Amino acid sequence: MQASPSPNPEHDWNEPMAERINNSILCALLSAGAIGGLSGQVMAQHAGDIGLRAADGGLEVYGPIGADEDTDGVYLATFGDTGFEGYTPNPGFDALPGSFAPGRIGFNALSGLMRWDPATTSWLAPSDVEERLSISFITLQTMIEDEAVEGFDLAIQPDGGWHRHMNFELLSGASGTRMNGIYRFDLVLYATQGLEDSEPFTILFDYNADPQDVDDAIDSMYENAPCLGDIDGSGTVDGGDLTTLLAEWGQLSETADLSGDGFVGGEDLTILLGRWGACDQ
């Protein structure tokens, strides 16, 4: 199979990719599976996707699917991972068949687009970020600029699952350029079936960023996060936490389910033992 064509550097980056790719090329890419996200549905439980399920009367995100640990609502994506600079269909969203009743699930942006500033080790306010984030699915599109905005929703699949890959593209501002770096998109998911909204979560997009900047940006998201494995909040992962985990073995538990898979089991025990000791070590 021939390699996917690279985008023309002379293209206007203010114009969304969906309007720039020739239809025949797009069809060929979809047929070959080079950009599975553009087709909207691919195989269930796609590794790297954000998991989605109904829990306690609301939507719950978890994952990424296939990862050793739940990332507590922070997910990393990379622009250019399909061969098109400034574009990615990842991460997708993946709910197993039978997860939902008929209806729709959508997203809302909680703020404008932010960018990590290595000089100050902090996030630039959306008003200081010239770039924009285009989010689209076939004919639907939302532009994330400098403030919170309503997104769009997509239908639950006939089998009750919801596996969707939207198109994320970083667009330049008035200067016509896109700065290398880490971009931050805060969002929440909603449903039309009476389920409560998900907890807020974040997708970080790596656009040719320095690896150390990527690590620093991710670390900043956890500065006030609890210590994974410290179930009783003592500041140390120790025998007290192990006792609690074993007492809830095989049960549904919000406190002892360290892996985020919905119940307490061997994976949670492995995580706890791997974190044994003081939380700051």
Side-chain angles (χ1 to χ4, degrees):
M1 183 178 68
Q2 292 183 342
S4 301
S6 299
N8 188 330
E10 299 301 322
H11 279 312
D12 177 7
W13 293 114
N14 289 294
E15 182 183 4
M17 177 171 290
E19 300 176 13
R20 300 200 307 265
I21 301 178
N22 180 276
N23 285 338
S24 62
I25 296 176
L26 179 59
C27 290
L29 288 170
L30 292 176
S31 298
I35 307 181
L38 290 173
S39 64
Q41 294 186 14
V42 289
M43 292 182 63
Q45 293 299 281
H46 182 195
D49 281 358
I50 298 173
L52 180 63
R53 59 194 171 203
D56 299 324
L59 292 174
E60 181 178 67
V61 297
Y62 65 94
I65 292 169
D68 292 335
E69 297 181 5
D70 191 290
T71 54
D72 293 325
V74 180
Y75 306 96
L76 179 65
T78 303
F79 284 125
D81 58 355
T82 60
F84 292 93
E85 185 179 0
Y87 165 83
T88 181
N90 298 308
F93 298 88
D94 196 348
L96 287 168
S99 295
F100 301 109
R104 303 177 71 85
I105 292 176
F107 73 92
N108 287 322
L110 298 177
S111 70
L113 186 64
M114 291 176 270
R115 188 178 68 241
W116 179 251
D117 181 9
T120 61
T121 61
S122 62
W123 292 98
L124 293 175
S127 58
D128 295 325
V129 177
E130 183 179 279
E131 293 81 1
R132 300 164 295 150
L133 179 66
S134 168
I135 306 174
S136 63
F137 188 92
I138 309 179
T139 61
L140 302 173
Q141 184 183 36
T142 293
M143 196 72 69
I144 311 301
E145 299 183 79
D146 57 2
E147 60 184 5
V149 64
E150 293 184 356
F152 53 80
D153 48 59
L154 302 171
I156 300 296
Q157 295 159 203
D159 63 3
W162 199 72
H163 188 187
R164 303 297 189 189
H165 283 254
M166 302 175 195
N167 304 305
F168 299 100
E169 187 174 9
L170 184 65
L171 303 178
S172 63
S175 69
T177 61
R178 299 176 294 194
M179 288 192 63
N180 294 340
I182 304 296
Y183 291 82
R184 173 178 168 180
F185 171 43
D186 294 340
L187 68 159
V188 65
L189 297 184
Y190 66 86
T192 63
Q193 307 93 303
L195 295 170
E196 294 183 5
D197 294 352
S198 73
E199 291 293 325
F201 61 101
T202 298
I203 302 175
L204 302 180
F205 293 95
D206 177 359
Y207 180 64
N208 302 323
D210 181 275
Q212 185 59 57
D213 293 341
V214 176
D215 290 342
D216 291 344
I218 293 174
D219 288 345
S220 76
M221 303 298 298
Y222 297 105
E223 288 179 351
N224 298 314
C227 173
L228 185 63
D230 181 20
I231 299 173
D232 59 12
S234 66
T236 302
V237 180
D238 56 16
D241 305 300
L242 178 59
T243 299
T244 301
L245 186 146
L246 294 177
E248 299 189 17
W249 192 270
Q251 302 177 32
L252 298 175
S253 170
E254 294 184 0
T255 56
D257 176 22
L258 305 179
S259 66
D261 63 0
F263 67 96
V264 181
E267 188 173 352
D268 305 298
L269 178 60
T270 299
I271 292 173
L272 187 145
L273 295 177
R275 301 275 181 162
W276 197 268
C279 288
D280 59 355
Q281 69 178 16

